Amino acid sequence: MSIYYIYQDQKRCIGCYACEIHCKTWNSVPLGPRFCRIIPVGPKMIGSVPRQQFIFIPCFHCEKPWCVSACPTNAMQKRTKDGIVFVEQSHCVGCKSCITACPWGVPQWNPETGKVIKCDYCKSRIDQGLKPACVTKCTGKSLRWVSAAEASLLKREKFAREIAKFGVMY
Amino acid sequence: MEDTKSVYSICSMCTVRCAIKVEVEDGVAKWIEGNPHVPGLEGSLCAKGSAGLAFQYDTERPQYPMIRDGERGSGKWRMATWDEALDYIADKLKEITDKHGSKSIALVDRGGPFTDLTKSFMKALNSPNYLDHDDTCGKNTNMACQTLFGYGRTDMIYDWPNTKHIVLYGRNVFESLMVKEVNSILDAMEKGAKLTYIDCRATVTASKADRFLMIKPGTDYALNLALINVILNERLYNVDFVNKWVTGLTELQSFVIPYTPEWAEKETGIPAQEIINLARDLSDAKPKVILHGGWMLARYFDSFYSSRSIYILNTLLGSIETKGGLIIAKGAKDASKKPLNSLGTNIPDVKDKIFDADMPGKSLGTGHVVNIYKVIKTEEPYPVRALFVYRYDLIASLPDPEAQKKALDNLDLLVSIDVNYSKTGWYSDVLLPESTYLERSNIIGTQTGPKPAFIMRRQAILPRYDSKPAWEIFTLLAQKMGAGQYFPYKSIEDIWNYQLDGTGIKIEDFNAKGFVSLAKEAILMGRNDLKFKTPSGKVEFVSQTLEKNKFLSFKPYESPKKTEKGIFRLTFGRCGYHTHATTQNNLYLNELMPENVLWINEDEAKDLGIKNGDIVEVSSNGYSGKIKAYVTPFIHPDAVFMVHGFGNEIPMKTRSYKKGLNDNAFQIGQLELVDPVGGGTAFLECFITVKKA
Ligand code: SF4
Ligand code: SF4
């Protein structure tokens, strides 16, 4: 896994899909492909209130990326300095092996170039000390740019708070 | 080396107008983010805000002045130069005013912080007929607020960050969203504030609420009367505040006697005990409670009284002009600063009265946009023959497009000024393309609030097409109409300098953040020296304004019209990524939601043999259309719902052309149906038949 992680605070996500558009405009993604996606779940009744969640799914930038192993041309690469997985466009031949290999369907087909494109955590922004587009402009400040270690702590803290509040997780 | 710059400006993808920062590279806008200096934004922006780039670089928007070259609405146009188009308008206007006087010209504006320009323009043309869009939006709320406090809707600022309990009546804050408000509410909730959400539909806001009350549509007023009943009976109100600041408590007390929680349960479908619990919870949190008075409450015949009862509840709980409640907005003067100079200062006052000043049976106030149709049709009290429509799509906003078009046919001149192909623009004689918000500067505006500020929309890039900014369009028109002495401006800087003259603030002062704050801390009046602008100086439960105009201060409750099997009340609203009828054709936003669906209650759907995803036929008064059904338990059985703004009929907007349905088209015969007191359009008094297609 890359040294970074995008943590999503469900309590602050309002399912506005802005993150998808922030990403599209920064990365000039054409119609069709989406680097990150919001997947709505619910609504369903939990006790007396309706609950709906919007799960943010970018690329996970895996430690052992299936996509990189599957790529025959070394177009799909993992940056050594921080583990960001990205496609070197000039090497991609559009064979789609990575699309098949990734368990989460993250690599995207660019119908305009016939090549694969994907989330690279907006690495040019990262290199300038900025955060990815989705995090920078998230409407409800639900997305946070954290280290992988922080992410796990955040998750545990949240879990503990929920138990304290409701006795159960939903 | 690339030429890059950052420009602070103001978004215009919806009418919230978030402060933005635009990054420009070689004259191309590359990135828009929320203004990092504004608390609650700090970079955040919604999907529409980011999709501003797709709008800017879209070809499917007006590119040059167009003059109609066929029947109205035929879509036949000829391209014109600005000179030609403006001369055409000026010649027509001269003809019209020669015959009918200058008062026969009217202008409908959307509204907002930059209206000093359009109001002054009308003054320069010597016409009293300036109107805004508020009848189709916040008018009922505004009037309700006025009759209680003497302040309008937007003068009551919600102090979200410090509140303890929020109550929202269909105010879907997380979808019909204002970015700053979203974050303030989320912050408050993180700090423990409770959220009660009341609606006939479980929206995203409902799914964040601590308490969700599914209410029968059209019965909010009943719920509020019962809440007042409990609060008064159990003496849960803020006694000190009420004794000191309220007139008419005894009258209210006797009025609400019959409106018990048990009675309200039968009307609203909300259990009596829930109503009692809510009243008690609110009392526990008082005065740090916010019961949102409503935004777009142009809904029912009793929306005025329903909104008024919400503000009465706030008053009873003492949440007025206090932290965590509703704070009265302050302007430059309250901050001991000189206000902006109005462009209209040196223009003589208009002697004629606005067309609906003495209209029989009219609701409170004047300048009701609905009345323009009456005047155009009847020519009473005098003819209105020329209409400017600026940034407002009348036909897409008011009910019954065909009835509107028929009325508009009586005009000798209809001019639209817009950045979009609007339905009204398409029906106009002349369509003038305004430069987009990234391509134009506006006059400086005042943002009133606990901390007032001057705000500036500043041009970030050059116009892509042959468009002009509003200040230039209205200046040129005034000049062509022989009123050039009142509009002597050569540049936006001329205007800015004139506006700022004497304020001690310079144009450069906007460079650092895009706005200039007029106060460091929130300005609050002392609890003991509040100033209400009502005739009595108090919060008037019994309102002198209402009584003077022969309206009741407390209107007895009337049940909403019953629906029959297969017939539903048509409700509409927004999602987080479309607004009005202006975003459906946007490349990116269209991809998110290319067409709307019809929410329908699962039990009702079952009875009608409708399954989720089925195509259904909806109809009313001979108009019908097909739409996909979204079958869900999360909508009240009396109502169906669709996202507003779809059903585009303008072929130039190819992505959204003929996609989805337009709710207004079903509101046949409803053009003049309004709340009789507030004047807001009664949009939801619309019933449609749904059956499997
Ligand atoms: S922008 Fe933020 S709040 Fe909106 S959907 Fe994405 S993660 Fe959720
Ligand atoms: S594309 Fe899929 S496999 Fe490759 S790094 Fe991302 S999530 Fe892992």
Side-chain angles (χ1 to χ4, degrees), chain B residues 62 134 146 203-204 211 406 439 460 509 570 580 599-600 635 649 662:
Chain B
D134 217 28
Q146 291 279 4
T203 59
V204 171
R211 179 195 265 122
K406 226 178 123 204
E439 300 166 341
D509 298 339
L570 175 59
H580 299 95
W599 287 50
I600 181 167
I635 185 164
E649 284 154 10
N662 166 21

Side-chain angles (χ1 to χ4, degrees), chain A residues 10-14 16-18 22 24-26 29 32 34 43 45 50-52 125 137-141, chain B residues 31-32 41-47 50 183 186-187 190 204 207-210 577 587-588 591-592 634:
Chain A
Q10 273 301 332
K11 287 236 171 268
R12 295 193 73 105
C13 176
I14 57 167
C16 68
Y17 291 80
H22 302 332
K24 282 210 145 188
T25 55
W26 177 263
V29 183
R34 302 188 197 183
M45 289 305 281
R51 285 293 175 254
Q52 186 167 21
R125 290 179 63 84
K137 297 204 277 180
C138 167
T139 308
K141 305 188 196 304
Chain B
W31 172 255
I32 308 172
L41 289 181
E42 292 122 347
S44 292
L45 208 60
C46 81
S50 260
N183 282 303
L186 290 172
D187 289 350
E190 253 178 31
V204 171
S207 83
K208 296 255 179 258
D210 300 282
Y577 30 97
L587 183 79
Y588 288 139
E591 187 182 23
L592 284 178
F634 293 102

